[in-house]
Amino acid sequence: MDLQNLNPSSLKSRFTARFLRALTEINAPKTISSSSPREIFQRYRRIKVAADKSMAYSVRSRRIWSRATLWRLRTRSRSRRLVSFGRRASVKTRTTASHGKENKEHHGAVLGVQAEELRELVPGGEAMDLCNLLDETAHYIKCLTTQGFCVYMGGLLCEGCC
Amino acid sequence: MSSRRSRQSSAGVSRISDDQIIELVSKLRQLLPEIRDRRSDKVSASKVLQETCNYIRSLHREVDDLSERLSQLLATIDADSAEAAIIRSLIM
């Protein structure tokens, strides 16, 4: 893949560049014998964090879900033991009014149960009204597919280095 | 898009219209590989949301699997190799 032909301002490019840079900082051992299962697992966790960070920083604060992810990453880096891992933002974001549970209109009531499930999957979902939730979800899905692409690219590059 | 967002009054009464919801749900549907190609328009919003949840979970799993694979691959690369240096220079 020719990196120079990517549109440099596209989300995919920004995201890929950030993630690959982060990868070079995740130490690769020089000898195969030093990669114990524990080390591999730790590297796996750092890759996950790098992927989420790259994704959130490429979107910055333009989206509720990215703000929630950034908040979670920052809190996590300050205190690893107190914040649970996982993709759920546990604190309300300082964003649109959190009328999420009060907006059960005609459609809201019908979609209520599924919306609750979706709220747990999208970062910051608990604080969103239904309209925002649907809109944020669409963007989040697009970014998740880009994230998968970036991690896959990282794998291809590693294979090139073997 | 922002001009069509609902504005919430201070009393907490939402003016989200059904049309807005329908439009957003249909926009979501276009992203789902399972049901976007179906001819029928009669996919319920409920089904779209359910499929969306499943799809997000499968994307999470995919990133997990790819990350795991990458973490194992990183164990095998020679960080001092010429190829690694080239790649580093490309992305810095």
Side-chain angles (χ1 to χ4, degrees), chain B:
Chain B
M1 182 68 198
S2 58
S3 59
R4 293 156 87 181
R5 289 256 171 87
S6 65
R7 300 268 187 270
Q8 311 236 352
S9 71
S10 55
V13 174
S14 163
R15 286 200 287 271
I16 299 174
S17 70
D18 283 357
D19 285 342
Q20 272 180 302
I21 303 283
I22 290 171
E23 190 191 324
L24 288 169
V25 168
S26 118
K27 187 174 122 187
L28 256 189
R29 182 185 161 182
Q30 293 309 308
L31 297 174
L32 306 175
E34 290 288 315
I35 58 184
R36 76 176 154 217
D37 299 325
R38 285 194 205 157
R39 293 281 170 187
S40 163
D41 275 335
K42 295 191 169 56
V43 180
S44 72
S46 194
K47 175 80 173 159
V48 171
L49 283 202
Q50 185 57 53
E51 286 301 320
T52 304
C53 291
N54 293 341
Y55 188 48
I56 290 180
R57 274 191 278 261
S58 80
L59 287 175
H60 284 170
R61 270 197 307 272
E62 196 172 332
V63 171
D64 278 353
D65 291 344
L66 288 170
S67 300
E68 204 182 311
R69 177 173 164 269
L70 181 52
S71 69
Q72 283 161 352
L73 280 173
L74 275 177
T76 62
I77 69 171
D78 175 8
D80 291 335
S81 70
E83 292 90 349
I86 291 172
I87 287 170
R88 239 177 267 128
S89 69
L90 275 178
I91 60 184
M92 291 301 185

Side-chain angles (χ1 to χ4, degrees), chain A residues 11-30:
Chain A
L11 175 70
K12 208 183 226 185
S13 308
R14 293 198 313 270
F15 190 164
T16 312
R18 267 180 224 275
F19 178 66
L20 294 179
R21 245 177 270 143
L23 267 194
T24 59
E25 285 156 22
I26 294 174
N27 293 333
K30 302 199 175 166

Side-chain angles (χ1 to χ4, degrees), chain A residues 87-104:
Chain A
R87 294 174 182 268
R88 185 173 179 172
S90 55
V91 170
K92 302 290 178 270
T93 55
R94 280 175 264 115
T95 55
T96 56
S98 55
H99 290 290
K101 307 240 191 290
E102 293 147 24
N103 278 352
K104 299 290 191 221

